[in-house]
């Protein structure tokens, strides 16, 4: 377990370095930190997702199914086989990921967890295929659990909730969140492109509160270059 945890820590440090350099051009062709498979509410099989990631030339990604790491585990196993059969090929870095429902300022938000140790007991309540209730549903508890498992916590699509991102981001920062999904396409444009005004506001708040900027397509359909 110590060895695994050490590897998770190294992986988390690499991810922090990546997050420090994410900008509006990073998604969807260099990095993608928000996508779903058939293991939650997406349409892509994990293998098809990874095949697309390789074809696109992604440098790194995370599969963020809702309350399950089944898609991530299947993708990881397939990617390891592919690496073995394609020696010398450039392959993307796959971090662990999951999307978790949580209560923040009395509304439901989604928190993305990255590069956590999947077997860590702190994550167990959040990997049961459904949202938790009670104290485990509170944002501060979710964030603390992610940190205990060696991971990073990010507020997904901050400008898509019943309360303004101008309120939610400071509240999330106060509870220990590591980053915000700054570059996000709110109106499902084709081709995928981050919404400029929201991204600008979120990026400014991230700077004020010392948070990482991340990006993701939030893919639920069959293309990693689109949301739906």
């Amino acid at each position: 377990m110590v060895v695994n945890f050490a590897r998770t820590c190294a992986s988390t440090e690499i991810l922090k370095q990546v997050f420090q350099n994410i900008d509006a051009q990073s998604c969807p062709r260099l990095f993608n930190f928000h996508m779903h498979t058939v293991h939650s509410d997406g349409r892509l099989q994990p293998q098809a997702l990874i095949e697309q990631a390789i074809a696109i030339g992604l440098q790194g990604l995370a599969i963020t199914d809702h309350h399950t790491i089944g898609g991530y585990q299947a993708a990881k196993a397939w990617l390891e086989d592919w690496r073995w059969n394609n020696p010398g090929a450039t392959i993307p870095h796959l971090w662990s990921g999951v999307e978790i429902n949580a209560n923040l300022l009395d509304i439901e938000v989604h928190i993305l967890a990255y590069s956590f140790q999947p077997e860590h007991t702190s994550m167990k309540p959040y990997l049961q295929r459904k949202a938790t209730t009670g104290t485990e549903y509170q944002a501060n508890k979710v964030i603390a659990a992610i940190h205990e498992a060696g991971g990073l916590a990010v507020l997904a699509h901050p400008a898509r909730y019943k309360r303004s991102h101008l309120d939610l981001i400071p509240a999330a920062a106060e509870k220990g969140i590591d980053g915000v999904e700054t570059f996000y396409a709110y109106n499902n444009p084709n081709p995928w492109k981050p919404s400029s005004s929201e991204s600008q506001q979120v990026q400014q708040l991230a700077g004020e509160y010392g948070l990482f900027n991340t990006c993701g397509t939030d893919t639920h359909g069959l293309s990693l270059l689109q949301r739906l």
Side-chain angles (χ1 to χ4, degrees):
M1 290 304 266
V2 176
V3 175
N4 283 348
F5 194 66
R7 196 181 303 135
T8 302
C9 289
S11 187
T12 302
E13 288 308 311
I14 294 165
L15 186 57
K16 284 179 181 177
Q17 289 169 23
V18 170
F19 282 169
Q20 280 167 350
N21 294 294
I22 293 291
D23 61 24
Q25 279 72 52
S26 298
C27 280
R29 296 189 176 273
L30 294 175
F31 294 96
N32 196 339
F33 294 106
H34 194 166
M35 41 193 143
H36 300 272
T37 73
V38 293
H39 285 259
S40 64
D41 58 349
R43 294 175 61 200
L44 276 169
Q45 294 288 343
Q47 173 183 334
L49 186 151
I50 293 295
E51 285 175 330
Q52 272 192 53
I54 292 167
I56 290 165
L58 282 179
Q59 294 176 25
L61 70 152
I63 293 167
T64 52
D65 280 317
H66 297 273
H67 303 107
T68 177
I69 52 168
Y72 157 72
Q73 288 171 323
K76 184 169 179 276
W78 188 88
L79 187 59
E80 283 170 1
D81 280 350
W82 193 88
R83 186 210 307 260
W84 180 259
N85 292 317
N86 295 270
T90 303
I91 66 161
H93 192 109
L94 175 66
W95 282 277
S96 58
V98 69
E99 188 167 11
I100 301 168
N101 293 18
N103 180 299
L104 180 65
L105 296 182
D106 295 323
I107 64 152
E108 183 163 276
V109 299
H110 293 175
I111 294 174
L112 296 159
Y114 297 116
S115 193
F116 54 90
Q117 190 181 17
E119 310 82 23
H120 199 284
T121 52
S122 70
M123 292 300 293
K124 196 174 179 186
Y126 305 107
L127 302 177
Q128 304 294 325
R129 296 188 157 275
K130 61 183 190 300
T132 55
T133 55
T135 57
E136 286 173 340
Y137 177 62
Q138 301 304 313
N140 60 322
K141 290 282 190 183
V142 174
I143 294 164
I146 295 164
H147 289 162
E148 280 177 49
L152 299 174
V154 169
L155 181 63
H157 38 67
R160 223 184 88 186
Y161 300 113
K162 290 175 183 169
R163 282 195 71 163
S164 168
H165 51 290
L166 304 175
D167 298 330
L168 291 169
I169 292 172
E174 190 188 326
K175 295 184 187 306
I177 205 113
D178 299 291
V180 282
E181 192 172 36
T182 301
F183 304 105
Y184 187 88
Y186 287 92
N187 300 313
N188 195 35
N190 188 6
W192 189 93
K193 185 178 173 230
S195 307
S196 59
S197 62
E198 288 93 337
S199 294
Q200 203 173 348
Q201 290 174 3
V202 172
Q203 191 173 16
Q204 190 176 334
L205 283 162
E208 284 176 33
Y209 290 93
L211 304 174
F212 292 120
N213 296 292
T214 78
C215 68
T217 54
D218 198 2
T219 293
H220 284 76
L222 294 173
S223 170
L224 294 186
L225 302 178
Q226 278 293 110
R227 178 162 178 255
L228 301 172

